[in-house]
Amino acid sequence: MNEKTIYNARIVTPCGIIENGTVLIYDGRIERIIEDNDNCLPLPGHIDACGKWLLPGFIDIHNDGLEKELQPRPHTDFPFALAFYAFCSRLINHGITTIFHSISFIEGRAGFKSQNNLKEMICSLLVLKRHDPLRHYFHARYDITEPEHCPLIISLMADGAVHLVSLMDHTPGQGQYRNSSYFFRYMKSEFKLKFEEIEKIIAEKKTRHSSDDIERHIRVLASASRYNKIPMASHDDDSVEKVQKMKSLGVRISEFPVDIETAYAAKLAGLYVTVGAPNIIMGKSTSGNLSAIEAVKEDAADIICSDYYAPGMLFSVFALYRIYGIPLPRAVNMVSLIPARAVGLAHDIGSIEEGKKADMMIVSEAEGVPFIEKVFIDGEPVLDKINAKTIDDPRVCVTENSRRKTLDVI
């Protein structure tokens, strides 16, 4: 039997905030939430949140960080195990308890892995995740101008190695790079390429984009996703027509729509709209596209992901709350409950509710900046930055049916 109590907490639930609340955890799940601590004392050794926030663990459905950990600079590939565990520790530090590692299936300079390397990397991920407390999932980002990767992704689906598929198209002149100057800027800063080299890449991508194989492979991949019951996302939708096309393929998540009209269209179509935490922090898109803050204010966004910056999730939640007046439960739902719903995990995780797994964190604020003190996965502490107060008093005990009752003092 494994019992734990977190008490004296400001608990953020899907619908509100419980002041001075208590969470009773039994065998890794939330057994009971008590809304009044006045007549409730904890078991020995259990945790006093000292009036700080108790939030659900974050569910990050789009995080490119593992790629950067593997290749911090062009042509510098680090060992996978080293990069994986270093990245995991970073995720826990920022409250991410469920991660969808977003790996791009792209050849050449715009990517960094051949098919053989991709297979090896994914196999390593499936092995290493068994030894890490985080909940690890795999998000396959399929660039539609690279159809040679389609059979590999379908094979991985059949093996149960893929948990989310996104369709992306980074051909300049549409989508994220409607303004081709942003593509030039990105390729130059990221890969140190010359103007002529970038022009050649653009020409190659446009030639591939017009290939008859593109649409056929998209339909095949979408069919395989539906057959294997794997959720699908679209990337950088830029029109109402594209949203409708993506929905017809079975897409349920619209990642980073490029303008507010497309975001509205995605919402109207019943898709979950995802925006990036860095966009909220900076107040704008690095590609000159949709402002995430505008989308949230206009109720045209559902999910916040870290994109490429894991610390951004917590900060963006409190920025929305403290600076822009978004209710804290709504902001928290955008990084927990709603992404859980979008990928089919809400029955088990994503919120502080009775019966769900006890993935939670204690958060304080200092000088206007949120700070994570403790993180729990399945009720077990996986991060403890500050030795929060605990009770270890032999006078405190529990009655026979205490897991369903308030706690008594002898």
Side-chain angles (χ1 to χ4, degrees):
M1 183 175 69
N2 186 356
E3 289 187 341
K4 194 177 276 84
T5 303
I6 301 174
Y7 70 104
N8 191 20
R10 301 182 73 188
I11 306 171
V12 180
T13 71
C15 300
I17 297 170
I18 298 174
E19 302 286 351
N20 196 31
T22 296
V23 174
L24 274 61
I25 301 166
Y26 181 72
D27 280 353
R29 291 189 179 267
I30 299 168
E31 175 136 339
R32 191 176 178 198
I33 299 173
I34 301 172
E35 298 192 17
D36 184 357
N37 276 326
D38 291 345
N39 298 312
C40 180
L41 291 176
L43 287 165
H46 291 205
I47 298 160
D48 182 358
C50 303
K52 295 165 186 173
W53 298 108
L54 187 65
L55 272 58
F58 295 159
I59 299 169
D60 191 359
I61 65 170
H62 185 125
N63 186 312
D64 303 334
L66 185 56
E67 288 188 349
K68 288 294 184 184
E69 203 76 43
L70 283 162
Q71 192 184 67
R73 293 183 180 179
H75 314 299
T76 16
D77 292 353
F78 282 9
F80 186 86
L82 169 64
F84 177 80
Y85 286 123
F87 187 53
C88 290
S89 65
R90 192 168 294 134
L91 294 172
I92 290 175
N93 268 276
H94 300 301
I96 297 170
T97 55
T98 299
I99 175 69
F100 281 71
H101 296 284
S102 305
I103 304 297
S104 302
F105 285 70
I106 308 176
E107 295 285 1
R109 293 187 188 92
F112 70 103
K113 293 295 174 184
S114 66
Q115 287 213 20
N116 287 337
N117 285 339
L118 282 166
K119 288 179 184 177
E120 182 180 344
M121 181 167 59
I122 295 159
C123 289
S124 297
L125 173 61
L126 295 174
V127 172
L128 293 175
K129 75 175 188 176
R130 302 172 191 163
H131 309 288
D132 187 78
L134 272 74
R135 306 188 193 283
H136 293 274
Y137 296 90
F138 177 55
H139 174 174
R141 301 182 62 197
Y142 173 63
D143 190 307
I144 66 169
T145 62
E146 306 281 352
E148 60 269 26
H149 286 301
C150 188
L152 172 58
I153 297 176
I154 291 173
S155 173
L156 291 168
M157 286 182 186
D159 291 340
V162 175
H163 310 97
L164 176 62
V165 175
S166 60
L167 304 174
M168 63 179 183
D169 182 359
H170 284 163
T171 305
Q174 56 80 56
Q176 180 178 354
Y177 298 112
R178 289 188 298 180
N179 185 336
S180 297
S181 65
Y182 287 105
F183 185 82
F184 272 92
R185 182 192 305 171
Y186 172 75
M187 296 300 287
K188 183 177 180 180
S189 63
E190 187 73 9
F191 299 103
K192 316 302 180 188
L193 299 178
K194 296 178 181 178
F195 181 85
E196 296 78 13
E197 293 174 305
I198 300 172
E199 278 197 320
K200 183 179 178 181
I201 292 171
I202 291 175
E204 290 173 353
K205 290 184 77 68
K206 287 186 175 180
T207 299
R208 282 173 169 263
H209 194 268
S210 61
S211 167
D212 292 337
D213 284 344
I214 296 296
E215 290 298 324
R216 180 171 61 85
H217 280 90
I218 290 174
R219 290 193 297 272
V220 169
L221 189 64
S223 177
S225 296
R226 293 193 299 270
Y227 178 80
N228 290 286
K229 299 181 179 179
I230 296 169
M232 270 202 309
S234 56
H235 197 279
D236 302 323
D237 295 331
D238 59 6
S239 67
V240 175
E241 292 75 21
K242 187 171 182 182
V243 166
Q244 293 300 327
K245 175 184 175 182
M246 292 296 108
K247 183 177 181 181
S248 72
L249 291 169
V251 163
R252 69 168 70 167
I253 302 167
S254 176
E255 296 187 306
F256 318 124
V258 301
D259 54 41
I260 194 67
E261 291 77 20
T262 307
Y264 283 139
K267 285 277 290 186
L268 189 62
L271 307 185
Y272 293 98
V273 175
T274 300
V275 296
N279 189 316
I280 292 173
I281 294 169
M282 295 185 297
K284 62 180 181 179
S285 161
T286 57
S287 301
N289 294 325
L290 174 67
S291 161
I293 293 168
E294 177 189 6
V296 174
K297 285 182 174 180
E298 295 296 323
D299 198 23
D302 304 291
I303 295 168
I304 300 170
C305 68
S306 72
D307 196 0
Y308 56 86
Y309 189 63
M313 294 187 76
L314 179 66
F315 190 89
S316 64
V317 164
F318 278 84
L320 289 175
Y321 173 50
R322 294 295 188 191
I323 300 172
Y324 299 103
I326 302 300
L328 186 59
R330 179 187 167 197
V332 169
N333 286 346
M334 295 182 77
V335 294
S336 53
L337 181 58
I338 302 177
R341 287 174 179 165
V343 294
L345 298 176
H347 61 287
D348 239 4
I349 57 175
S351 56
I352 300 179
E353 295 182 89
E354 292 178 359
K356 288 194 175 182
K357 292 185 176 182
D359 294 0
M360 299 178 289
M361 70 185 89
I362 295 174
V363 176
S364 60
E365 295 177 85
E367 302 297 328
V369 177
F371 176 82
I372 295 174
E373 296 189 3
K374 288 179 178 286
V375 177
F376 306 85
I377 296 178
D378 287 327
E380 295 300 320
V382 295
L383 177 72
D384 189 353
K385 293 182 179 177
I386 293 179
N387 291 322
K389 294 166 69 174
T390 61
I391 293 294
D392 193 8
D393 188 336
R395 295 173 301 167
V396 181
C397 70
V398 62
T399 59
E400 182 179 356
N401 296 318
S402 63
R403 291 189 294 111
R404 291 293 177 186
K405 296 181 179 180
T406 56
L407 305 178
D408 298 328
V409 179
I410 294 177

